[in-house]
C-alpha cells in the first residue's frame, strides 16, 4: 500500500508528441517525499523526454505535470526553486564562465533557498565530496566528467526537495559515482523525492524504490523494485521480458 | 543589483567568443560596435549636409519615412539573425538554463530580448545620428523623428518576437506584406497631398509599420511558450544522389537548419522585392545600383556559412585534402548560393537595361564579390549558431566591404556598367584571402 503523504510530483494522463512518429504517454505517476524512482528503458524510449517534461522544458500535448502543486511548465518561482535538475547533456553549462562564476550566478538568482553565501558554501561542500577542484577553470575547457560534477553541484546547491536526474553515472569516475550516490541518498533520507532516468538496470535496481519502465513511449511497468525482483528475479530479467521482441 | 551576474552572463554568451576574459571582451566588443556606429553615423551626416533634400517636406512624411526605413532595416537584421538560431545553439542553452531559474517575469523577458535589443541599439545609434541630422536640415523636430526611428526598429524586432506566426518563413512573409502595403500607401499619400484623407493616410502608414510592436507585448505576456525547448521535430532534408560529390558542402549547407533558413529567407526577400517591382511596373533610374540589394543579401548569407563547421580542424578536413579543400568547397557552394539569391532582382531589372550581357556580367562580378566578402568575414570570425554578437559583426564586416571597396578603388566616378572588372578582381582577391586564412589556421592549430 502506498503511504498517504504529500505529493511532490503528480503526473496525470500526460501525452507529449515529439515528432510525427513518437509520442510519450504516462497515464499516472506520483512521487512522495523520500522516494526514489528510476525511469528505465531502451535508447529512444522516452526517458529524457519524460525528464524534460517534468522539469518544465517541454509542454504537454495533453495531461498535467504538477510539481509541489504547481504546473511544471509554468513560470512559477516555487516550481523552479523546488526542482534540482542534473541533466545528461554537456551543453547545460555556460562554457565561458568558470565553475566559481557559474555557481555564483545560480546562487544569485535563487532567493528563498537561503543566503547566497550559504549556497556558495554548499557548493564547496558538494565539490569537496565529489573531488571537484577546478573552480577557476572555464567550464568549456573541463573534461566530460568534471562538467557532470559541475552539473550535479549546480542542481543541488539550492537544496531542492525534488531532484530530477538524467543518467547520473555517465562520465563520472567510480569514486565520483559512489560519492554522488551518497549525496543523493542523503537527500532522500532528508525527505527529498528523486526521479532518475537511466539505462543502467543494475544501478536502478540497487538505487530505486520504484521502477517505471518505458518502451516506445508507453509505460510497460510501474512497480516497486522489490516486487519486480521477487517476481522476475532481477530488474534485468524483467526488462528482457518486456523487450523480448527486440531480440 | 541582484541580477547583475545574470546580465553579465547574457552579454558574455552573446558577445564574447573564445575569450579567456569574456566579460572584458564582451564590453570591449560592444564598445567597438557603438564606437563604429557613432563614427559611421558622423561620417554619413556630412553627406546628408551636402545632399540636396526637398525644402518643404511635411513633418508627417518625414516621420513616415523614419518609421518605414527603421522597420525595414531592423526587421531585416533581426529576421536574418533569428534565421540562424537553432535549438542546439549556445544561446539556446542559456535560455534553457534561464527557463529553470526562479526569475520574475520581467527579468525572464529581459533576458530573452536583451541580445536583440543591444544589436538594435547599435543600429539605433547609427541611424539616430543620421535621421537627427536629416530632420534638422528638413526643419522637423529631431526628437520626434529619432523617437520614430527607434520605434520603427523596435517594431521590426516585435515582428520577430511575436507569437503568431511562429514559423520564421511566415514571419518573413508578414514582413514583406507589411513593407509592401506600407510603402504602397506611402507612395499614394505622397502623390496625393491634396486628398481629403491625406492626413489620415499618413497616420495609417506609420500605424502599419508600427503594428508589429504588438509582438513585444505578446512576448512579455506569453513568454513561457517562447522559452520552451523542443528541438526534436527537426526534419532532415535529403538531397538526391545525383548531386556530384564535389558539391558536398552545398548539401551540408542545405541540411543545416540554420544556413537553410538563412538562404531561404534571403531568397524570399529578394523574390518579393523583385516581384513588387515587376507588379508595380517600377522603373528605376539606375538598375545597376539596385543589384546591390541582392549583393547585400548574398553577403549576409555567406557570413553564416563558415559557422556550420568547427573553427579549428573540422573533421571534414581529412576527406577534402586539407584546408584548401575545405576552402574550395565553401567557395563553390557560396558562389552558387550567392548567384541564386541575387537572381530574382536580375530578372526583374533585366528588361530595364540596354546591354543585357554587360548587365549580367556586372551582376556576376558583384555577386562573386559579395559572396567572397561574406565568406571571408565568416572565415575570420566563425560565427556559431546563436552567437548574436559575432553574427552581427560578421554581417557588418561583410556588408561594409560593399561600401569600403568602391571608396578604396575610387569607383565613385566610374559608371556602374564599367565597374564589373573591379568587382571581379576584388572578389578573386577576397577568395584568395579565404584560402590563406584557412591555411594559416590549419598551420597554427595547437600552437599557443
Amino acid at each position: 500500500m502506498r503511504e498517504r503523504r504529500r505529493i511532490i510530483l503528480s503526473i496525470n494522463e500526460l501525452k507529449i508528441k515529439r515528432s510525427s512518429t513518437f509520442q510519450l504517454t504516462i497515464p499516472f505517476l506520483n512521487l512522495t517525499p523520500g522516494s526514489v524512482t528510476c525511469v528505465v528503458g531502451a535508447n529512444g524510449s522516452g526517458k529524457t523526454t519524460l525528464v524534460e517534461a517534468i522539469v518544465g522544458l517541454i509542454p504537454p500535448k495533453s495531461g498535467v505535470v504538477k510539481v509541489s502543486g504547481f504546473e511544471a511548465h509554468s513560470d512559477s518561482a516555487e516550481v523552479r526553486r523546488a526542482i534540482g535538475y542534473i541533466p545528461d547533456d554537456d551543453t547545460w553549462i555556460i562554457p565561458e564562465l568558470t565553475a566559481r562564476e557559474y555557481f555564483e550566478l545560480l546562487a544569485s538568482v535563487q532567493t528563498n533557498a537561503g543566503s547566497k553565501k550559504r549556497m556558495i558554501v554548499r557548493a564547496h561542500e558538494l565539490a569537496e565530496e565529489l573531488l571537484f577542484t577546478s573552480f577557476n577553470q572555464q567550464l568549456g575547457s573541463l573534461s566530460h566528467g568534471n562538467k557532470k560534477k559541475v552539473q550535479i553541484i549546480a542542481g543541488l546547491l539550492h537544496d531542492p526537495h525534488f531532484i530530477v536526474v538524467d543518467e547520473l553515472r555517465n562520465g563520472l569516475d567510480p569514486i565520483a559515482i559512489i560519492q554522488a550516490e551518497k549525496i543523493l541518498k542523503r537527500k532522500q533520507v532528508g525527505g527529498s523525492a528523486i526521479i532518475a532516468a537511466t539505462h543502467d538496470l543494475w544501478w536502478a535496481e540497487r538505487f530505486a524504490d520504484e521502477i517505471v519502465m518505458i518502451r516506445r513511449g508507453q509505460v510497460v511497468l510501474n512497480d516497486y523494485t522489490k516486487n519486480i525482483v521477487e517476481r522476475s528475479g532481477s530488474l534485468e530479467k524483467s526488462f528482457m521480458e518486456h523487450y523480448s521482441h527486440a531480440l | 543589483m541582484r541580477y547583475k551576474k545574470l546580465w553579465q552572463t547574457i552579454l558574455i554568451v552573446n558577445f564574447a567568443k573564445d575569450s579567456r576574459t569574456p566579460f572584458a571582451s564582451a564590453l570591449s566588443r560592444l564598445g567597438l560596435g557603438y564606437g563604429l556606429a557613432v563614427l559611421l553615423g558622423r561620417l554619413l551626416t556630412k553627406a546628408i549636409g551636402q545632399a540636396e533634400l526637398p525644402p518643404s517636406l511635411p513633418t508627417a512624411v518625414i516621420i513616415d519615412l523614419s518609421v518605414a526605413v527603421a522597420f525595414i532595416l531592423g526587421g531585416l537584421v533581426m529576421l536574418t539573425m533569428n534565421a540562424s538560431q537553432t535549438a542546439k545553439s549556445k544561446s539556446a542553452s542559456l535560455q534553457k538554463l534561464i527557463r529553470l531559474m526562479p526569475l520574475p517575469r520581467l527579468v525572464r523577458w529581459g533576458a530573452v530580448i536583451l541580445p536583440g535589443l543591444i544589436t538594435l541599439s547599435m543600429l539605433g545609434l547609427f541611424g539616430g545620428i543620421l535621421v537627427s541630422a536629416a530632420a534638422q536640415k528638413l526643419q522637423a523636430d529631431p526628437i520626434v523623428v529619432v523617437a520614430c526611428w527607434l520605434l520603427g526598429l523596435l517594431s521590426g524586432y516585435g515582428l520577430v518576437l511575436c507569437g503568431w506566426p511562429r514559423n520564421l518563413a511566415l514571419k518573413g512573409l508578414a514582413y514583406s506584406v507589411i513593407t509592401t502595403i506600407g510603402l504602397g500607401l506611402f507612395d499614394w499619400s505622397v502623390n496625393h497631398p491634396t486628398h481629403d484623407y491625406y492626413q489620415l493616410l499618413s497616420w495609417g502608414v506609420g500605424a502599419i509599420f508600427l503594428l508589429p510592436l504588438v509582438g513585444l507585448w505578446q512576448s512579455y505576456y506569453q513568454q513561457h511558450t517562447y522559452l520552451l525547448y523542443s528541438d526534436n521535430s527537426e526534419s532532415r532534408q535529403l538531397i538526391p544522389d545525383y548531386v556530384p560529390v564535389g558539391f558536398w558542402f552545398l548539401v551540408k549547407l542545405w541540411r543545416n537548419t540554420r544556413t537553410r533558413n538563412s538562404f531561404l529567407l534571403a531568397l524570399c526577400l529578394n523574390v518579393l522585392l523583385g516581384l513588387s517591382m515587376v507588379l508595380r511596373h517600377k522603373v528605376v533610374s539606375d538598375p545597376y545600383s539596385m543589384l546591390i540589394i541582392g549583393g547585400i543579401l548574398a553577403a549576409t548569407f555567406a557570413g553564416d556559412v563558415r559557422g556550420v563547421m568547427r573553427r579549428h580542424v573540422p573533421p571534414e578536413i581529412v576527406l577534402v585534402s586539407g584546408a584548401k579543400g575545405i576552402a574550395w568547397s565553401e567557395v563553390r557552394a557560396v558562389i552558387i548560393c550567392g548567384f541564386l539569391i541575387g537572381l530574382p532582382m536580375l530578372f526583374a531589372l533585366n528588361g530595364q537595361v540596354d546591354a543585357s550581357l554587360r548587365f549580367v556580367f556586372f551582376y556576376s562580378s558583384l555577386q562573386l564579390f559579395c559572396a567572397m566578402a561574406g565568406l571571408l568575414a565568416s572565415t575570420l570570425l566563425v560565427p556559431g549558431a546563436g552567437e548574436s554578437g559575432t553574427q552581427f559583426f560578421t554581417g557588418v564586416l561583410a556588408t561594409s566591404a560593399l561600401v569600403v571597396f568602391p571608396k578604396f578603388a575610387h569607383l565613385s566616378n566610374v559608371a556602374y556598367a564599367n565597374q564589373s572588372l573591379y568587382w571581379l578582381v576584388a572578389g578573386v582577391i577576397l577568395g584568395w584571402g579565404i584560402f590563406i586564412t584557412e591555411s594559416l589556421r590549419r598551420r597554427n592549430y595547437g600552437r599557443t
Side-chain angles (χ1 to χ4, degrees):
Chain A
M1 282 286 287
R2 279 172 196 275
E3 285 178 75
R4 284 187 172 274
R5 285 201 286 178
R6 188 165 63 91
I7 292 169
I8 287 189
L9 171 76
S10 113
I11 295 180
N12 261 310
E13 300 296 338
L14 174 70
K15 283 186 181 159
I16 296 169
K17 198 169 171 64
R18 293 214 77 168
S19 69
S20 55
T21 53
F22 182 82
Q23 178 173 288
L24 176 71
T25 308
I26 307 286
F28 175 82
L29 184 65
N30 273 358
L31 294 195
T32 50
S35 66
V36 179
T37 303
C38 270
V39 182
V40 296
N43 297 133
S45 57
K47 301 187 294 290
T48 300
T49 301
L50 175 59
V51 162
E52 289 184 348
I54 289 171
V55 296
L57 286 171
I58 306 174
K61 185 184 157 203
S62 64
V64 184
V65 182
K66 282 188 174 177
V67 175
S68 302
F70 297 92
E71 289 222 17
H73 74 280
S74 70
D75 287 330
S76 158
E78 283 79 4
V79 176
R80 304 287 143 238
R81 284 190 201 108
I83 299 176
Y85 179 40
I86 302 169
D88 179 36
D89 183 350
D90 265 3
T91 62
W92 274 81
I93 48 158
I94 298 165
E96 290 85 357
L97 298 187
T98 63
R100 187 185 306 279
E101 288 166 338
Y102 185 50
F103 299 144
E104 278 173 7
L105 165 71
L106 295 176
S108 71
V109 296
Q110 296 281 354
T111 47
N112 283 8
S115 71
K116 185 179 165 186
K117 203 173 170 187
R118 175 75 199 106
M119 274 185 264
I120 297 297
V121 171
R122 194 176 294 137
H124 278 87
E125 287 166 0
L126 290 166
E128 204 172 311
E129 282 189 74
L130 292 168
L131 309 178
F132 176 78
T133 51
S134 313
F135 274 91
N136 295 321
Q137 206 173 322
Q138 280 185 317
L139 297 179
S141 64
L142 291 179
S143 68
H144 178 56
N146 271 336
K147 280 180 189 164
K148 187 80 183 187
K149 287 179 187 177
V150 167
Q151 288 172 335
I152 293 172
I153 299 165
L156 301 177
L157 67 77
H158 60 291
D159 202 15
H161 63 263
F162 177 39
I163 301 164
V164 184
V165 190
D166 195 1
E167 303 293 0
L168 178 74
R169 293 154 63 94
N170 275 6
L172 291 180
D173 60 66
I175 302 169
I177 290 173
I178 294 166
Q179 293 298 98
E181 279 181 28
K182 268 188 195 169
I183 294 169
L184 289 184
K185 279 287 175 193
R186 201 169 61 228
K187 291 291 297 174
Q188 182 202 3
V189 172
S192 294
I194 300 170
I195 186 163
T198 181
H199 51 241
D200 189 337
L201 299 174
W202 177 81
W203 180 75
E205 183 181 318
R206 197 167 48 84
F207 188 67
D209 312 323
E210 198 174 331
I211 300 288
V212 175
M213 193 182 292
I214 305 177
R215 192 181 71 198
R216 290 182 190 160
Q218 305 290 327
V219 176
V220 289
L221 177 70
N222 182 0
D223 203 349
Y224 291 109
T225 316
K226 60 179 182 192
N227 293 349
I228 296 170
V229 174
E230 272 174 21
R231 216 170 32 238
S232 303
S234 70
L235 179 59
E236 189 180 316
K237 282 184 183 162
S238 172
F239 185 87
M240 297 318 283
E241 285 164 18
H242 285 94
Y243 273 88
S244 55
H245 70 283
L247 294 172
Chain B
M1 201 174 145
R2 219 177 89 197
Y3 297 106
K4 188 176 146 196
K5 280 265 168 206
L6 180 67
W7 303 125
Q8 282 181 349
T9 307
I10 289 166
L11 291 187
I12 284 170
V13 169
N14 288 284
F15 298 96
K17 184 181 158 69
D18 295 329
S19 171
R20 294 190 70 80
T21 51
F23 187 59
S25 295
L27 286 185
S28 60
R29 285 171 202 185
L30 285 175
L32 185 72
Y34 284 116
L36 273 175
V38 172
L39 192 73
L40 276 174
R42 295 295 294 270
L43 278 175
L44 290 175
T45 304
K46 285 179 189 164
I48 285 180
Q50 290 158 3
E52 285 181 20
L53 298 175
S56 57
L57 267 178
T59 308
V61 172
I62 301 169
I63 285 175
D64 282 349
L65 264 177
S66 178
V67 171
V69 175
F71 171 79
I72 292 168
L73 191 66
L76 182 67
V77 169
M78 297 320 292
L79 276 171
T80 313
M81 281 173 62
N82 206 257
S84 46
Q85 312 275 329
T86 66
K88 291 189 176 93
S89 66
K90 254 171 54 173
S91 62
S93 292
L94 178 64
Q95 294 305 335
K96 283 190 286 179
L97 285 167
I98 288 172
R99 171 98 189 107
L100 297 188
M101 292 174 179
L103 300 172
R105 180 179 280 263
L106 190 65
V107 175
R108 199 182 288 279
W109 181 63
V112 175
I113 66 164
L114 183 68
L117 275 186
I118 290 175
T119 306
L120 276 188
S121 68
M122 287 181 202
L123 281 178
L125 190 61
F126 161 71
I129 294 169
L130 285 182
V131 294
S132 158
Q136 274 171 347
K137 190 162 185 189
L138 293 166
Q139 291 167 348
D141 186 349
I143 295 173
V144 174
V145 180
V146 170
C148 289
W149 167 261
L150 296 178
L151 278 176
L153 286 177
L154 282 178
S155 180
Y157 194 21
L159 180 73
V160 176
L161 287 174
C162 70
W164 190 90
R166 283 292 287 273
N167 184 295
L168 191 73
L170 290 179
K171 282 182 182 176
L173 190 68
Y175 169 78
S176 309
V177 169
I178 290 169
T179 306
T180 311
I181 294 175
L183 288 182
L185 211 59
F186 178 74
D187 268 358
W188 199 88
S189 70
V190 168
N191 291 327
H192 298 82
T194 53
H195 196 277
D196 293 347
Y197 295 114
Y198 171 75
Q199 198 69 29
L200 197 67
L201 276 175
S202 295
W203 283 108
V205 173
I208 285 172
F209 283 114
L210 294 182
L211 191 68
L213 276 175
V214 174
L216 286 171
W217 170 83
Q218 222 183 359
S219 68
Y220 175 74
Y221 280 102
Q222 301 176 354
Q223 54 182 281
H224 62 280
T225 57
Y226 293 82
L227 294 170
L228 291 171
Y229 149 73
S230 184
D231 65 338
N232 51 338
S233 56
E234 192 174 292
S235 59
R236 180 154 289 205
Q237 308 238 352
L238 294 174
I239 298 288
D241 289 340
Y242 53 75
V243 176
V245 177
F247 292 91
W248 67 274
F249 196 74
L250 211 56
V251 178
K252 190 176 175 69
L253 290 183
W254 184 249
R255 282 187 177 164
N256 187 293
T257 322
R258 173 187 166 199
T259 40
R260 189 172 64 232
N261 281 345
S262 187
F263 172 75
L264 289 177
L265 185 71
L267 188 65
C268 285
L269 288 172
N270 218 14
V271 166
L272 285 161
L273 279 170
L275 264 181
S276 77
M277 289 186 75
V278 171
L279 294 176
R280 292 165 65 201
H281 306 291
K282 188 98 180 166
V283 179
V284 290
S285 55
D286 191 354
Y288 283 86
S289 63
M290 290 301 287
L291 287 178
I292 286 177
I293 295 171
I296 291 172
L297 291 170
T300 317
F301 162 74
D304 264 340
V305 163
R306 182 56 177 82
V308 302
M309 287 190 293
R310 225 164 55 185
R311 187 186 184 90
H312 293 285
V313 199
E316 295 88 345
I317 212 161
V318 293
L319 301 171
V320 287
S321 59
K324 281 178 187 162
I326 287 272
W328 180 230
S329 307
E330 286 174 329
V331 165
R332 260 194 305 218
V334 165
I335 289 175
I336 292 171
C337 293
F339 273 65
L340 288 175
I341 287 169
L343 271 183
M345 199 54 94
L346 178 77
F347 288 137
L349 295 165
N350 202 29
Q352 299 184 24
V353 288
D354 301 327
S356 178
L357 208 61
R358 180 178 278 203
F359 190 58
V360 172
F361 182 48
F362 175 76
Y363 163 78
S364 309
S365 313
L366 183 69
Q367 290 305 105
L368 176 86
F369 175 86
C370 293
M372 291 303 103
L375 185 58
L376 181 59
S378 184
T379 307
L380 290 170
L381 298 177
V382 196
E387 293 167 3
S388 315
T390 322
Q391 278 170 6
F392 180 67
F393 287 125
T394 309
V396 169
L397 190 62
T399 45
S400 58
L402 265 168
V403 182
V404 173
F405 171 66
K407 292 244 178 228
F408 179 73
H410 303 291
L411 292 183
S412 46
N413 299 324
V414 183
Y416 277 116
N418 299 327
Q419 290 181 7
S420 309
L421 210 59
Y422 291 93
W423 292 103
L424 185 70
V425 172
V428 172
I429 292 170
L430 291 179
W432 191 247
I434 295 164
F435 279 90
I436 291 172
T437 311
E438 285 293 0
S439 302
L440 283 176
R441 187 173 284 149
R442 174 77 186 97
R443 211 172 297 156
N444 293 322
Y445 177 65
R447 291 185 194 173
T448 52

